Amino acid sequence: MRRSLLLALLVAANLHAAEVRVLAAASLTDVLQDIAKQYQKSAYDQIVFSFGASNLLARQIEAGAPADLFLSADERSMSRVKTIAKVNMLTNSLVVVVPADGHTMKTSRDLLKMKTIALAEPSSVPAGIYAREWLESQKLWTAIAPRVVPTDNVRSALAAVAAGNADAAIVYKTDAMVSKKVRVTYRATNGPRIVYPFALLKDAKQPQAARRFLNYLKGPSARAIFVRHGFDVLP
Amino acid sequence: MSSPDLQILGLTLRTAALATLLIVPPGLAVAWLLARKRWRGKSLVETFVALPLVMPPVATGLILLELFGRRGPIGSWLPFDVVFTWRAVVLAMMVMSFPLLVRAARVAFEEVDPRLERIAQTLGARDARVFFTITLPLAMRGILSGVLLAFARAIGEFGATILVAGNIPGRTMTLSLAIYNLVQLGRDADAFRLLGIAVVIAFLAVWTTEAFLRRRA
Amino acid sequence: MSVVLRDVVLPLAQFTIEVSMDLGARTTALYGPSGAGKTSVLELIAGLRTPLRGRIELHGRDVTDLPPRLRRVGYVPQDDALFPHMSVRQNVFYAARAPRPHVLDVLELTPLLDRNVKQLSGGERKRVALARALLSDPELLLLDEPLSGVDVALRDRVLEYLVRVREEFPVPAIYVTHQMAEVEAFCEEIVHVERGRVVARAALN
């Protein structure tokens, strides 16, 4: 009798369990996977992630790809999609990484020592746009541009340096923490203002389950995990 | 066509032509060996040559990235960079086109009546003379088709190229990569314009080769 | 001027060739029904096939391990095997070891020299194949059913050419055929072969 009751409860729970589709910026890959693991210890919902360059994800959402939450690395991508509840969640900063045995930089001009510099595509991917804004503010963009290797997203830029195929990359400080094969040689302290907006999408198929997860992301347990991965949480 | 378009087209045609030229001697050699000789391990060679045809192109690209990266077994002792340069474009094109050329050339060689080659031998011709005066001319039609196919494949190559050469404007951005890039950026109209150029190139390539082959026959 | 096969063995699909022969005449007929293995014997002599066992000697030299191009044998196969992508001139002069313009005259090929071989009649093709073999300055001629594939009405013409060649050029020849009439018209000796073995031998007058 008790066993069949348990079974009935489990079945009922699964009937209510939803699959929440989250499209998120590539730089959030590791931190979100950690948070989701925590979340799913106590929730029935399944969180399914799709990571990539925010501009590409926005385009997919525009084209009708099924999605419930969009966690973007810049406001520009977020403005392309229709949202219900939007909140500016995180901020980040840019760093220059090199292979473990690479050149050291003292000033930003030392970037000119590098033969190839990997960046996320500077005309469309948030990380690349931020990097270009920073380089322009340092009056380095024109000199650096011919040596730039544009990549699909910020993690590919990181991977290029980790493999030794590029001399340097401009990535988020949080990305640099992910790989042991690179080291940070410069921090862009006067970099552009980086804001990660998170939002529930208007065409979400699972709005209630999505809202539950979004609220969790705003909560204290998630905040601790964000901080541990190097993100700064906006108040 | 605008100037950046011309640059993309020029890069694509130059790299594809170089890649095709470079694979012809080894491709014909391998094709001839597969057509005419038998040896232990022959099926291993056949399988190996066919691999890039069967594997997903990105998988091939990944292998090339590992081998020719600055720290890779081959890349580390080369005196120049391969990854993220035009050399990677040519390399990817060569690897992806090679099996197509070998396949077509092998069939062409197999269709040459071996009796004709043997008669030439009784007439005193050495192996090299037999190859250049009998085998090659009689196989030329099939070989040219194979070269055209290889060239077309090189022009259209994408999966391996984007991994090992990156999509660097002016350096490695070929026609296929440029179309992909424009689509990514949402610039569909520009993408379709480049698509039109790609179609015209493909059409011209097939047309001229067919005309050439018709005249030879 | 001799061809010697000593205990030569060659397995074929239907039977195994096992022959020994010592040929010394100017023209020897290799006579037998179709499928007797006559062509294979010619191929063994020319070096286009390797025997399983045995020795082959040409004019006293052991050629068993020699490749075809070193054997100085002129082989005219049954289907002519003319090079289809070349003109008559290019075919005929392919080997051209020693100039023998005489060959062109005897076989009346001069007017045909610039034609493509695909445009030739059966009889003309035979003459071209013959000229090509002769111009490689062979020490032995192998003729595989030279009159097959030629219109019956024209066979006498081709036979005439063969006779002329035999008169003008002192090269010993082996003539494969299954027609006794040709043997009698052309050859001094006959070797009768059936199912890969020599069953009889005779001199003709």
Side-chain angles (χ1 to χ4, degrees):
Chain A
M1 175 60 187
R2 267 229 286 214
R3 199 188 285 165
S4 49
L5 187 62
L6 198 63
L7 201 63
L9 277 174
L10 275 173
V11 167
N14 271 322
L15 282 176
H16 283 292
E19 209 182 62
V20 181
R21 305 194 71 100
V22 180
L23 267 49
S27 46
L28 296 171
T29 308
D30 305 85
V31 66
L32 283 179
Q33 280 171 338
D34 266 0
I35 293 178
K37 240 190 296 187
Q38 277 298 111
Y39 183 67
Q40 299 196 238
K41 283 189 188 155
S42 55
Y44 294 123
D45 300 325
Q46 272 270 78
I47 313 291
V48 175
F49 289 110
S50 190
F51 296 107
S54 306
N55 59 312
L56 184 58
L57 297 174
R59 188 186 162 83
Q60 289 175 355
I61 296 170
E62 280 174 317
D68 299 301
L69 293 178
F70 182 31
L71 314 182
S72 172
D74 70 355
E75 182 54 50
R76 190 198 239 121
S77 304
M78 182 58 81
S79 63
R80 288 163 66 175
V81 302
K82 303 205 191 85
T83 64
I84 296 180
K86 195 173 70 129
V87 52
N88 288 345
M89 270 298 297
L90 308 171
T91 182
N92 208 336
S93 59
L94 294 178
V95 296
V96 179
V97 292
V98 292
D101 55 354
H103 297 289
T104 318
M105 283 173 61
K106 297 223 182 55
T107 69
S108 60
R109 286 204 77 78
D110 288 338
L111 260 181
L112 296 169
K113 282 195 269 183
M114 315 289 184
K115 216 167 83 173
T116 44
I117 301 165
L119 300 178
E121 173 58 58
S123 58
S124 53
V125 178
I129 297 174
Y130 291 136
R132 180 179 173 156
E133 278 177 27
W134 175 61
L135 289 172
E136 279 170 344
S137 73
Q138 301 286 302
K139 309 250 191 292
L140 285 172
W141 174 250
T142 342
I144 298 287
R147 306 165 202 215
V148 165
V149 174
T151 64
D152 279 345
N153 57 60
V154 70
R155 288 298 172 91
S156 329
L158 182 72
V161 167
N165 288 323
D167 296 307
I170 303 179
V171 299
Y172 296 119
K173 135 181 110 146
T174 50
D175 295 314
M177 293 169 62
V178 163
S179 170
K180 291 200 184 63
K181 296 200 188 128
V182 308
R183 65 182 178 86
V184 175
T185 184
Y186 190 79
R187 291 176 195 278
T189 41
N190 301 331
R193 178 169 151 76
I194 297 173
V195 173
Y196 283 65
F198 289 5
L200 170 63
L201 294 168
K202 182 155 159 290
D203 292 327
K205 292 275 168 30
Q206 303 280 2
Q208 282 151 325
R211 231 183 247 278
R212 279 199 290 272
F213 186 56
L214 186 57
N215 287 335
Y216 185 79
L217 288 174
K218 294 196 255 182
S221 3
R223 172 187 293 256
I225 301 178
F226 277 122
V227 168
R228 198 170 66 224
H229 281 259
F231 289 90
D232 293 310
V233 183
L234 293 169
Chain B
M1 249 194 317
S2 63
S3 167
D5 285 357
L6 275 174
Q7 196 189 48
I8 291 171
L9 186 57
L11 174 70
T12 309
L13 291 177
R14 280 195 313 269
T15 46
L18 180 59
T20 309
L21 228 66
L22 288 175
I23 59 171
V24 165
L28 291 189
V30 172
W32 185 82
L33 286 171
L34 289 176
R36 286 284 182 258
K37 302 281 186 194
R38 276 200 301 230
W39 68 95
R40 266 181 60 183
K42 176 173 173 175
S43 46
L44 216 68
V45 172
E46 283 172 325
T47 313
F48 204 64
V49 167
L51 273 181
L53 254 185
V54 179
M55 285 193 348
V58 280
T60 307
L62 184 58
I63 292 176
L64 291 177
L65 186 61
E66 286 298 300
L67 289 176
F68 287 87
R70 278 189 192 159
R71 298 205 192 120
I74 303 179
S76 53
W77 66 251
L78 287 174
F80 45 74
D81 277 345
V82 173
V83 171
F84 295 145
T85 69
W86 63 268
R87 299 182 191 98
V89 177
V90 174
L91 177 67
M93 288 174 168
M94 283 173 68
V95 171
M96 300 307 292
S97 291
F98 189 74
L100 287 174
L101 176 64
V102 169
R103 204 159 267 254
R106 177 186 180 167
V107 168
F109 285 136
E110 281 172 348
E111 282 175 351
V112 173
D113 188 351
R115 305 196 68 228
L116 295 175
E117 294 170 343
R118 294 203 283 264
I119 292 297
Q121 285 178 317
T122 63
L123 293 169
R126 302 185 114 95
D127 282 347
R129 183 156 188 241
V130 173
F131 179 76
F132 284 108
T133 56
I134 309 292
T135 320
L136 196 58
L138 286 174
M140 193 51 84
R141 206 148 196 261
I143 290 175
L144 282 180
S145 295
V147 170
L148 167 70
L149 200 55
F151 183 65
R153 180 68 182 81
I155 289 185
E157 171 36 40
F158 177 82
T161 313
I162 197 160
L163 263 193
V164 73
N167 202 349
I168 308 169
R171 267 205 267 160
T172 69
M173 188 184 271
T174 59
L175 203 52
S176 319
L177 265 51
I179 293 175
Y180 173 74
N181 199 47
L182 290 170
V183 169
Q184 294 285 76
L185 293 175
R187 290 167 54 187
D188 289 346
D190 292 321
F192 277 105
R193 192 184 71 247
L194 284 191
L195 170 64
I197 296 176
V199 169
V200 169
I201 304 279
F203 190 82
L204 282 176
V206 177
W207 180 268
T208 48
T209 314
E210 285 300 311
F212 180 72
L213 288 177
R214 252 181 277 130
R215 267 199 297 132
R216 288 197 93 227
Chain C
M1 315 261 249
S2 67
V3 179
V4 178
L5 271 65
R6 263 195 236 291
D7 304 315
V8 169
V9 174
L10 179 73
L12 295 181
Q14 312 278 41
F15 52 83
T16 300
I17 293 181
E18 287 179 50
V19 291
S20 287
M21 54 176 90
D22 190 330
L23 311 174
R26 266 296 304 280
T27 38
T28 308
L30 206 54
Y31 170 80
S34 327
K38 310 186 296 295
T39 302
S40 302
V41 171
L42 286 192
E43 288 178 340
L44 283 166
I45 296 173
L48 300 180
R49 279 211 193 222
T50 321
L52 191 61
R53 279 198 301 277
R55 272 176 50 177
I56 303 173
E57 286 170 25
L58 295 179
H59 308 311
R61 269 194 315 160
D62 186 340
V63 299
T64 324
D65 297 317
L66 268 191
R69 69 179 177 85
L70 294 174
R71 290 198 189 192
R72 307 291 299 276
V73 172
Y75 183 27
V76 184
Q78 199 168 345
D79 60 354
D80 316 319
L82 295 184
F83 304 134
H85 58 299
M86 295 185 186
S87 64
V88 169
R89 182 192 300 273
Q90 288 167 318
N91 265 278
V92 159
F93 289 110
Y94 188 79
R97 241 186 267 253
R100 278 189 181 170
H102 204 32
V103 170
L104 293 182
D105 291 333
V106 170
L107 289 166
E108 295 181 336
L109 286 177
T110 319
L112 299 176
L113 279 178
D114 291 305
R115 292 244 215 109
N116 185 281
V117 298
K118 295 187 207 156
Q119 302 165 315
L120 300 177
S121 70
E124 288 166 339
R125 295 174 66 93
K126 292 288 171 194
R127 283 150 54 197
V128 173
L130 196 46
R132 183 176 67 178
L134 281 171
L135 281 167
S136 70
D137 197 18
E139 292 173 344
L140 175 66
L141 261 187
L142 301 177
L143 305 167
D144 198 344
E145 311 247 12
L147 296 188
S148 76
V150 180
D151 283 342
V152 177
L154 297 172
R155 284 204 186 151
D156 285 338
R157 287 272 304 277
V158 180
L159 199 51
E160 252 179 56
Y161 280 111
L162 286 172
V163 169
R164 257 199 254 177
V165 163
R166 190 185 60 182
E167 281 166 18
E168 301 285 335
F169 306 106
V171 180
I174 299 181
Y175 189 117
V176 161
T177 181
H178 60 278
Q179 303 276 32
M180 192 46 92
E182 292 171 40
V183 176
E184 288 169 353
F186 196 74
C187 305
E188 294 164 12
E189 263 207 34
I190 171 174
V191 173
H192 187 151
V193 172
E194 283 204 30
R195 280 188 76 82
R197 281 158 202 271
V198 176
V199 297
R201 233 187 117 136
L204 303 167
N205 282 318

